[in-house]
Amino acid sequence: MNHLEIVDPAFRKLVHEDRPLQKLASGSLWAEGPAWIPGQQCVVWSDTRSNRMWRWSEADGQTVFREPSNNSNGNTVDRQGRLVTCEHRTHRVSRTEPDGTVVALVDAYKGRKLNSPNDVVVKSDGTVWFTDPPYGIETSREGVQRPSELDGNYVFRFDPATNDLRIVANDFDRPNGLAFSPDESVLYIADTGAPKHMRALDVSPDGTLSNSRVFAKVDPPASDGFRVDTEGNVWSSAGNGVHVLSPEGTLLGKILVPERTANCCFGGPSKQTLFITASTSLYSVEVAATGV
Ligand code: MG
């Protein structure tokens, strides 16, 4: 199909060359943060600028999931199937309980408001890792314009069991998307500030990071949000779609999307559907790879 650009022959094993890219939903101003909720067989995503979250399922199509959404951005699902959401307006990471109640997990570091949590991932031990760039406090377009109360844009690790919040990376300009390798020995973090690249860092059992190195730089930029498949390949947003990188950072191929792409996630019954948020729309494509 003409939405596929095969750079390395290995890419052919990860995609279906006869499956189309489908537009499932539209009407967003800046679609971000897709997450598949297995218990509901649906994908939810944020329209950060419209202060709304959308939901799409095979059965119901596109419906409003939450409005207002506190200018939500990145979403993920924890091991219990609960939705975990970054919120700009309330400078917090929240969790949606099975009964639909939304609870705050964390909104401050040492008594100071977080900036505007952008993207989040939950490790198998239940800890919540998230990035906190200032996009949601710089203008009122995506949140609330106000000065930062922190002295940097950090990557945080939060433990809901102990309420312990700690900085795990302090040398990013604007940390953004993040994802663990399948065995959680590596954490990938995008920097959408000046470097516009993606770094890989080793994860120690005690939850610290080390050996920070540049992993890849997509062209056109940028790696905003991304997900990892079971083989360790990284499926990253780029200016023109989703670029797929090997665990070594080699570009394998591209899924070209007709809108500027912000993020993606695996979903569907077998985690072999890639959902893509791109500017105004939600797209999907069936792939041969399986999401973690
Ligand atoms: Mg992001």
Side-chain angles (χ1 to χ4, degrees):
M1 302 294 281
N2 57 9
H3 63 277
L4 294 176
E5 185 178 325
I6 294 162
V7 177
D8 185 301
F11 190 53
R12 293 184 191 276
K13 293 194 178 72
L14 303 177
V15 292
H16 295 301
E17 294 183 56
D18 58 346
R19 303 290 170 87
L21 179 73
Q22 294 181 283
K23 186 192 272 198
L24 300 178
S26 58
S28 292
L29 290 176
W30 180 245
E32 246 284 13
W36 176 258
I37 304 180
Q40 300 181 29
Q41 292 291 298
C42 74
V43 61
V44 298
W45 71 100
S46 299
D47 183 358
T48 309
R49 292 178 190 166
S50 293
N51 199 13
R52 181 188 297 154
M53 288 176 74
W54 292 102
R55 176 189 193 275
W56 182 91
S57 71
E58 190 84 52
D60 304 327
Q62 180 181 7
T63 53
V64 173
F65 177 75
R66 178 178 297 165
E67 186 176 18
S69 63
N70 297 324
N71 303 95
S72 66
N73 193 330
N75 293 283
T76 193
V77 172
D78 70 10
R79 298 286 160 144
Q80 289 76 39
R82 299 171 296 193
L83 182 68
V84 176
T85 300
C86 293
E87 301 178 1
H88 285 182
R89 177 169 294 271
T90 37
H91 51 90
R92 70 179 188 178
V93 178
S94 70
R95 186 174 68 206
T96 304
E97 304 297 339
D99 67 0
T101 311
V102 181
V103 298
L105 290 182
V106 59
D107 68 357
Y109 177 68
K110 294 187 173 174
R112 298 177 183 200
K113 288 177 184 170
L114 300 175
N115 293 329
S116 46
N118 188 291
D119 215 339
V120 59
V121 64
V122 179
K123 199 163 175 275
S124 59
D125 63 4
T127 52
V128 178
W129 301 58
F130 64 96
T131 56
D132 188 40
Y135 294 111
I137 58 172
E138 289 180 321
T139 70
S140 55
R141 194 170 60 170
E142 296 187 2
V144 181
Q145 189 174 15
R146 62 173 174 83
S148 175
E149 295 188 8
L150 302 178
D151 55 2
N153 303 321
Y154 300 120
V155 183
F156 289 101
R157 170 190 179 272
F158 176 70
D159 187 347
T162 60
N163 282 332
D164 177 56
L165 178 67
R166 56 183 68 174
I167 294 169
V168 289
N170 62 5
D171 61 347
F172 281 73
D173 183 16
R174 292 180 173 225
N176 205 312
L178 74 177
F180 287 102
S181 63
D183 66 1
E184 298 184 331
S185 67
V186 173
L187 179 65
Y188 301 100
I189 308 174
D191 193 332
T192 48
K196 290 204 168 34
H197 62 200
M198 212 182 214
R199 278 197 250 164
L201 302 96
D202 293 339
V203 184
S204 302
D206 67 359
T208 57
L209 301 175
S210 63
N211 190 23
S212 179
R213 65 268 187 195
V214 175
F215 171 71
K217 189 167 184 167
V218 299
D219 179 35
S223 291
D224 183 337
F226 46 88
R227 292 293 202 274
V228 175
D229 68 27
T230 53
E231 304 297 314
N233 302 299
V234 178
W235 299 61
S236 171
S237 72
N240 62 351
V242 174
H243 293 195
V244 182
L245 305 151
S246 76
E248 293 76 38
T250 305
L251 177 64
L252 303 178
K254 305 172 186 175
I255 298 169
L256 300 172
V257 176
E259 297 184 76
R260 186 174 174 79
T261 303
N263 213 329
C264 64
C265 76
F266 290 95
S270 54
K271 287 208 150 189
Q272 291 189 309
T273 304
L274 189 72
F275 293 97
I276 302 167
T277 48
S279 300
T280 68
S281 306
L282 175 76
Y283 295 85
S284 78
V285 61
E286 300 300 320
V287 296
T290 304
V292 169

